[in-house]
Amino acid sequence: MNFEFSDEARAVQAEARRFFGERCPRPLVRHAVEGEQAAAAPLWRELGTLGYLAAGIDAEHGGQGLGLPERCLICEEAGRALAPLPLVAHWTAVTAIARHGSAAQRARWLPPLADGSIIATCTLAPAGAGPGVDSPCRLEHDLVTGTRQPVEAGAGAGLVVLQAHAPDGLCLVLVELAQAAVERTVVPMIDPSRPHARLTFRGARAERLGAAGAGAALADGLRDHAAILTGFCQLGGADAALAMARDYALERYAFGRVIGGYQAIKHKLVDVYVRNEIARGHCYYGAWSLATDAPETPAAAAGARLAATRAFSFAAQENVQVHGGLGFTWEADCHLYYRRARLLALVDAPLDAWRERLVDAMATPAPDAALAQVA
């Protein structure tokens, strides 16, 4: 069992780190936090030109050979740079269409999603919700009614993959958002660089994804996919927060010596490092399980979200503490990491829901284990 990434995937990661380092500096992130969302538009277009947005799409529809490993590592670098981009939501929607869409749906939507000319997003029921829990949205006669919030990139996306309740059970549907029957309202979030919206559907035209009655199972798979990619975003952010705290500790003097020489600061940095490495192990395990379609994927995805959320939240908090009084000011960049950490901690569901999902996944025997018990 090898959880390490290939040399080819690492090469993509190195290029992604260079790209985000050059094209997404902290001033750009700060502009996005201050409401200048247009600052990130060129970055999205460049990602499409480089082929990153086409990861997970076959060559017939504009893909360039990038798959899940590359998506994970690109997310890590986007998280490291605090990129104000809806990568996970977009890729989750792409995955839904690529895996469960009809030939006509794939031909219509995947090419513009691959080059970034259309932004897609995805909104599912909260993690931990069972198949008998109604979605706030309903599908009848191919028309969707209801409201979902908060939906990442809902104000700017052209397409949404939505979980809805149909007469035959939960289902996934595609809804084009440029309809008069769709109302979008921006929802204030703790991290304005990743804008969210409330989507209200008043009889909006929709297309089903996947077979009837399979919506709950398909949504669970997409949720695991999004959880692992989000975990890598958090992992990159946690590493960046640690690096920022370390660099400040090596340049800030107090009582005639750098504060990094004091044991209390060393312990803080080591504690952050340990949590980051624990999260890395969970994220790598999650990536392996998802790539191999292992039966442990639900537990691995929940474990990755739990460990990565704790690591990023702790790293962002300790980064503020290492900076002392300066860390609490608007001029310092510490709050950029803290905002992103708090936002990602609530993506899809809070920690308690992921904890319950992990317990449920571990309590459910894998297929082989179940057969062994019967035997």
Side-chain angles (χ1 to χ4, degrees), residues 128-168:
V133 178
D134 288 351
S135 167
C137 294
R138 292 187 172 274
L139 176 71
E140 293 185 7
H141 308 296
D142 295 329
L143 299 177
V144 172
T145 58
T147 300
R148 289 305 300 268
Q149 68 169 341
V151 180
E152 183 172 12
L159 184 70
V160 63
V161 173
L162 174 73
Q163 186 175 0
H165 191 75
D168 56 357

